[in-house]
Amino acid sequence: MIRRGFQVAVRLGQHRALFGGPQVLPRLNPTSAFGSSTDSLVSRFCPEKTDLKDYALPNASWCPDMLNLYQEFLEKTKTDGWIKLPSFKSNRDHIQGLKLPSGLAVASDKSDWRIFTRCIPVEGQGYEYVIFFHPSEKKSICLFQPGPYLEGAPGFAHGGSLAAMMDETFSKTAYLAGEGLFTVSLNIRFKNLIPVGSLAVLNVHVEKIEDQKLYMSCIAQSRDQQTVYAKCSGIFLQLQLEEESPQ
Amino acid sequence: MLRRCARLLRTTGALCGPKRGRSFSSEVLHVDHSLPNPSWNEDMRLLFDQFMKKSEDGSWKRLPSYKYNPTERIEDVKIFFPDAKLLKEQMSQAQLFPRSLGEGVGFEYAMFHNHVEDRTVCIFQGGPHLQGAPGFLHGGAIATMIDSTLGMCAILTGGIAMTANLNINFRRPIPLCSVVVINCQLDRVEGRKLFVSCNVRSMDEKTLYSEATSTFVKLDPKKKIDIRASGAFYTNLQ
């Protein structure tokens, strides 16, 4: 069904933006730009009470650098307007009550579907990360520690794993800053390799929002900023989620 | 040309050579994951058979793929990174991403190389643990697979090389658990730089999902790299 939906979309709207014609995607309301404010998006995204497991919390595998910086930013959530983002097993858990616009929505999330950056559940083996978001300045910081299952060159993280971490940080930032949903493009310049088990700090800024797209930049570096691991620019497409129809 | 490719494959670890000094069972080490398994859906199997048929006349070759970096590759890297602390425990745990996920839930793929046309093709089935937006493949998972395929194409031509630049345009989201074909080719070589590009299409080639261009850089055996020095590796080239 979803595949047919796509083929319809492709036939209808080749000329328009990316992957849909106006008949498939909801029309943008020109007067209200994008519906939800950052604050309402954040409060929905960060539920006060939930039974869901938050993977973005310290555990025994976190290196001292990661723990220290985490504590530093936790302090900043009290004083400087930062927010620690929870990280659930599936993106669907972050948007409870909402769904992708019709034509793109899949009927149900099978129970074993999981967000890529939480694909390796064993502590310390895969992606260990936490993202802090600053709503008023539209910026984020991600503390990322790649584990041995993310290896590329022996002893170092696979380039793809850093690309994925950058895409994920862009994704959460784009969503909260402006309902960005899908990656349009990524342009990554790799500078140095990240040793497995060490901390990489990713700083993301929203540069501008224009033509239904969010333009962001990211720089991944060591904690002391002496080593730059990579620089990246990313563009995300804005798309409003719809209310889920009552079952 | 084939012999050169075979030698390159050995040095980069794509082929498993004689085991030296690793402590796990040889069965685990020798498992070639680029072969059909129960998690492969019908589309994936069909594509695999099509490419195996093409391999019969010798123009295409299936590339084996293992979970662990074999000892030869580790030795090669040590030449370039003499200060790298490769802890023994870490080494014994490490797995080659993206083979580190369990069967069927992550990256199921097989790569084929055409040495005459310098093309590498990867058939890829993205499993349920690679989700991004609900029902679709994560952009980062696509980027990982593109990086792996472009990298293989670069390494087969130029020897050990590392990604310097990766530029991906996502045109349509890829539905989770579907099968796509990543077509890579080497565009040109300039000194130590290799320019590789690819596109990601549906099985029937009618849907273009993404396109990417990249630059890989061949490692220079004469230059030892201090991993602590910032920008050491790439700045003199960019």
Side-chain angles (χ1 to χ4, degrees), chain A residues 2-3 6-7 9-10 14 18-19 89-92 95 100 103-106 109 112-121 124-125 127 148-156 158-161 163-165 167-168 171 181-193 195-197 225-229, chain B residues 43 69-70 73-74 77 81 84 86 90-91 93-98 100-101 105 107 128-136 138-144 147-148 162-179 204 206-207 209 225-235 238:
Chain A
I2 188 71
R3 211 162 298 182
F6 263 115
Q7 281 155 7
V10 167
Q14 292 279 10
L18 287 155
F19 49 86
K89 208 180 83 163
S90 164
N91 265 336
R92 200 174 278 270
I95 56 164
L100 290 175
L104 290 171
V106 174
D109 216 23
D112 61 344
W113 287 12
R114 217 183 266 186
I115 192 175
F116 175 46
T117 43
R118 293 292 175 201
C119 61
I120 297 165
Q125 297 301 302
Y127 292 92
Y149 282 19
L150 302 186
E151 209 180 67
F156 299 95
H158 194 283
S161 71
M165 199 66 252
D167 182 53
E168 179 55 20
S171 161
L181 276 191
F182 288 101
T183 323
V184 171
S185 73
L186 285 176
N187 188 330
I188 311 173
R189 281 90 63 205
F190 293 95
K191 308 278 179 201
N192 277 293
L193 299 173
V196 162
Q225 302 185 344
Q226 292 301 299
T227 311
V228 174
Y229 295 122
Chain B
D43 285 345
N69 270 317
R73 185 135 183 255
I74 295 159
V77 173
F81 301 91
L86 297 173
Q90 196 173 285
M91 291 308 303
Q93 278 175 32
Q95 292 188 31
L96 199 58
F97 194 58
S100 55
L101 282 82
V105 293
F107 299 90
H129 289 190
L130 304 187
Q131 187 170 227
F136 297 100
H138 196 283
I142 303 167
T144 299
D147 181 47
S148 295
M162 302 218 174
T163 329
N165 264 42
L166 184 57
N167 193 332
I168 309 175
N169 287 315
F170 299 88
R171 305 243 174 255
R172 282 174 194 90
I174 300 176
L176 207 55
C177 305
S178 66
V179 176
D204 59 10
K206 294 202 179 128
T207 310
Y209 289 113
I225 295 156
D226 177 2
I227 55 166
R228 286 180 296 265
S230 61
F233 180 54
Y234 296 109
T235 45
Q238 292 179 351

Side-chain angles (χ1 to χ4, degrees), chain A residues 123-182:
Chain A
E123 259 178 31
Q125 297 301 302
Y127 292 92
E128 287 295 339
Y129 70 96
V130 54
I131 303 176
F132 290 87
F133 175 63
H134 199 292
S136 54
E137 292 183 34
K138 295 201 186 333
K139 64 182 184 186
S140 294
I141 184 165
C142 171
L143 313 184
F144 169 43
Q145 179 183 299
Y149 282 19
L150 302 186
E151 209 180 67
F156 299 95
H158 194 283
S161 71
L162 178 59
M165 199 66 252
M166 285 171 146
D167 182 53
E168 179 55 20
T169 313
F170 278 150
S171 161
K172 296 295 181 279
T173 312
Y175 176 67
L176 294 171
E179 294 178 281
L181 276 191
F182 288 101

Side-chain angles (χ1 to χ4, degrees), chain A residues 18 28 31 37 40 53 61 64 70 72 148 160 175 197 204 230:
Chain A
L18 287 155
L28 262 184
T31 55
S37 67
S40 67
K53 181 178 156 94
S61 73
Y70 175 78
E72 226 179 88
Y175 176 67
V204 166

Side-chain angles (χ1 to χ4, degrees), chain B residues 117-168:
Chain B
E117 299 170 34
D118 249 328
R119 278 175 57 202
T120 302
V121 169
C122 175
I123 59 177
F124 167 47
Q125 177 188 300
H129 289 190
L130 304 187
Q131 187 170 227
F136 297 100
L137 212 49
H138 196 283
I142 303 167
T144 299
M145 215 54 243
I146 288 176
D147 181 47
S148 295
T149 314
L150 292 168
M152 184 56 78
C153 198
I155 289 172
L156 288 173
T157 314
I160 296 182
M162 302 218 174
T163 329
N165 264 42
L166 184 57
N167 193 332
I168 309 175

Side-chain angles (χ1 to χ4, degrees), chain B residues 14-193:
Chain B
L15 284 171
C16 226
K19 291 294 125 248
R20 295 196 294 271
R22 290 288 283 258
S23 54
F24 7 142
S25 75
S26 51
E27 299 157 4
V28 169
L29 281 173
H30 282 280
V31 173
D32 178 352
H33 291 273
S34 283
L35 290 168
N37 66 57
S39 73
W40 286 26
N41 64 28
E42 220 179 281
D43 285 345
M44 186 75 173
R45 284 171 197 275
L46 194 63
L47 265 177
F48 182 81
D49 290 339
Q50 281 173 9
F51 275 97
M52 287 307 283
K53 239 189 147 53
K54 287 196 207 189
S55 306
E56 277 165 16
D57 66 0
S59 57
W60 286 89
K61 187 176 157 63
R62 186 188 68 84
L63 304 175
S65 166
Y66 305 96
K67 244 187 205 264
Y68 303 95
N69 270 317
T71 323
E72 297 87 345
R73 185 135 183 255
I74 295 159
E75 293 307 314
D76 287 329
V77 173
K78 276 188 182 162
I79 295 168
F80 298 103
F81 301 91
D83 297 321
K85 292 197 194 77
L86 297 173
L87 305 164
K88 202 155 183 239
E89 309 89 64
Q90 196 173 285
M91 291 308 303
S92 66
Q93 278 175 32
Q95 292 188 31
L96 199 58
F97 194 58
R99 284 290 177 208
S100 55
L101 282 82
E103 194 178 277
V105 293
F107 299 90
E108 288 298 333
Y109 64 95
M111 295 195 200
F112 296 84
H113 180 71
N114 185 319
H115 61 93
V116 169
E117 299 170 34
D118 249 328
R119 278 175 57 202
T120 302
V121 169
C122 175
I123 59 177
F124 167 47
Q125 177 188 300
H129 289 190
L130 304 187
Q131 187 170 227
F136 297 100
L137 212 49
H138 196 283
I142 303 167
T144 299
M145 215 54 243
I146 288 176
D147 181 47
S148 295
T149 314
L150 292 168
M152 184 56 78
C153 198
I155 289 172
L156 288 173
T157 314
I160 296 182
M162 302 218 174
T163 329
N165 264 42
L166 184 57
N167 193 332
I168 309 175
N169 287 315
F170 299 88
R171 305 243 174 255
R172 282 174 194 90
I174 300 176
L176 207 55
C177 305
S178 66
V179 176
V180 296
V181 182
I182 306 173
N183 292 289
C184 276
Q185 70 195 42
L186 180 70
D187 294 326
R188 68 185 192 282
V189 180
E190 276 172 25
R192 281 170 52 205
K193 289 196 199 180

Side-chain angles (χ1 to χ4, degrees), chain A residues 216-246:
Chain A
M216 293 166 286
S217 64
C218 174
I219 172 163
Q221 45 196 344
S222 58
R223 187 185 178 182
D224 60 11
Q225 302 185 344
Q226 292 301 299
T227 311
V228 174
Y229 295 122
K231 291 187 183 175
C232 179
S233 44
I235 305 176
F236 268 67
L237 181 72
Q238 284 181 311
L239 216 55
Q240 258 185 323
L241 294 171
E242 291 175 355
E243 295 284 338
E244 212 148 49
S245 39

